[in-house]
Amino acid sequence: MKKFLMYVVVLVGILFIGYTTYYFVRNNETISMTLAENESVYINKDETCELPIKWTKPYSSTKLEIKVLNEKIAVYNEETKLFTGVGGGTTTVEIIPSNKNFGPFRFDIHVGDGSLMYPFTIKNEIELGNIGKNEKYTLNSSYILINDLDLSSYENWEPIGVSLSKPFTGTFDGNFKSISNMKITSATNAGLFGAIDSSAVVSNLILNNADFNGAFDNAGAIA
């Protein structure tokens, strides 16, 4: 009888330790947003962005349900874990973990399509330099700058809309952001823009420390 009771005590102990370990591991899971409160994600049409979730020590049974409120603006691929912009506008995304200790999480995705209502967002120096140089970022599209940019890595900035025969004809909203350290040593028309058509609009733009050093037909900080 004593041996039986001993076996029962041992069994109960093992079950207790196992359950405690299981409970600890399960509750050591954390799920959080990598975005700050009220921060949004900005992408352009056909661009992708990752799920803004930090998930540590995931429990095997925990799942994430992803809801995109307007799939005409962005869609989510469960296999790649990526959002893709498909049309201009803003849509809300809701992330619902099956572990009810976390979430639900919500954030907005802004998608630019180059239209006047939903301009392409310029987030970095490479995107700025691509304007007018590919089939997507055309000279007659609309753009908005959403970050301060530093062009110091460009030894010779190539102006956007390089000539009067090929000017910038779209809109560029600087959004009161700054473009700094633009350097031009060789160009026919020197400036952030080489030429701007009378129908174009460039506004709310701050330029800092523009340095032109060379012989140019025309020169100006903006154009």
Side-chain angles (χ1 to χ4, degrees), residues 128-187:
L128 181 69
N130 283 336
I131 297 178
K133 297 181 178 64
N134 59 41
E135 295 181 356
K136 179 177 179 179
Y137 295 128
T138 63
L139 290 172
N140 63 353
S141 295
S142 294
Y143 301 88
I144 184 169
L145 189 62
I146 63 171
N147 293 317
D148 294 328
L149 303 184
D150 184 350
L151 301 183
S152 59
S153 62
Y154 291 81
E155 288 297 322
N156 182 40
W157 171 256
E158 183 178 349
I160 301 166
V162 295
S163 67
L164 296 174
S165 62
K166 195 178 179 181
F168 179 73
T169 58
T171 66
F172 188 95
D173 182 357
N175 196 28
F176 300 100
K177 302 296 183 181
S178 65
I179 297 177
S180 302
N181 302 317
M182 175 176 58
K183 181 179 180 181
I184 299 178
T185 59
S186 176

Side-chain angles (χ1 to χ4, degrees), residues 17-29:
I17 293 172
Y19 178 78
T20 302
T21 303
Y22 162 82
Y23 185 81
F24 175 77
V25 170
R26 179 169 186 174
N27 286 271
N28 210 27
E29 175 182 59

Side-chain angles (χ1 to χ4, degrees), residues 62-214:
T62 301
K63 306 297 179 186
L64 298 181
E65 182 183 2
I66 313 298
K67 293 182 178 180
V68 181
L69 269 60
N70 190 339
E71 293 191 334
K72 292 183 178 180
I73 295 173
V75 294
Y76 180 70
N77 187 307
E78 185 64 40
E79 292 184 3
T80 63
K81 310 298 183 186
L82 294 174
F83 295 93
T84 301
V86 294
T90 301
T91 183
T92 298
V93 176
E94 187 172 36
I95 304 169
I96 307 171
S98 60
N99 184 340
K100 301 305 180 182
N101 291 319
F102 306 101
F105 306 102
R106 294 178 182 87
F107 70 99
D108 288 338
I109 295 180
H110 298 275
V111 180
D113 62 3
S115 65
L116 191 60
M117 183 173 292
Y118 306 115
F120 285 131
T121 56
I122 300 299
K123 301 177 285 295
N124 55 55
E125 295 78 10
I126 294 175
E127 290 180 345
L128 181 69
N130 283 336
I131 297 178
K133 297 181 178 64
N134 59 41
E135 295 181 356
K136 179 177 179 179
Y137 295 128
T138 63
L139 290 172
N140 63 353
S141 295
S142 294
Y143 301 88
I144 184 169
L145 189 62
I146 63 171
N147 293 317
D148 294 328
L149 303 184
D150 184 350
L151 301 183
S152 59
S153 62
Y154 291 81
E155 288 297 322
N156 182 40
W157 171 256
E158 183 178 349
I160 301 166
V162 295
S163 67
L164 296 174
S165 62
K166 195 178 179 181
F168 179 73
T169 58
T171 66
F172 188 95
D173 182 357
N175 196 28
F176 300 100
K177 302 296 183 181
S178 65
I179 297 177
S180 302
N181 302 317
M182 175 176 58
K183 181 179 180 181
I184 299 178
T185 59
S186 176
T188 301
N189 299 300
L192 178 66
F193 296 85
I196 296 177
D197 189 79
S198 60
S199 64
V201 176
V202 177
S203 61
N204 306 323
L205 179 61
I206 301 169
L207 293 178
N208 295 321
N209 194 32
D211 180 13
F212 300 170
N213 185 8

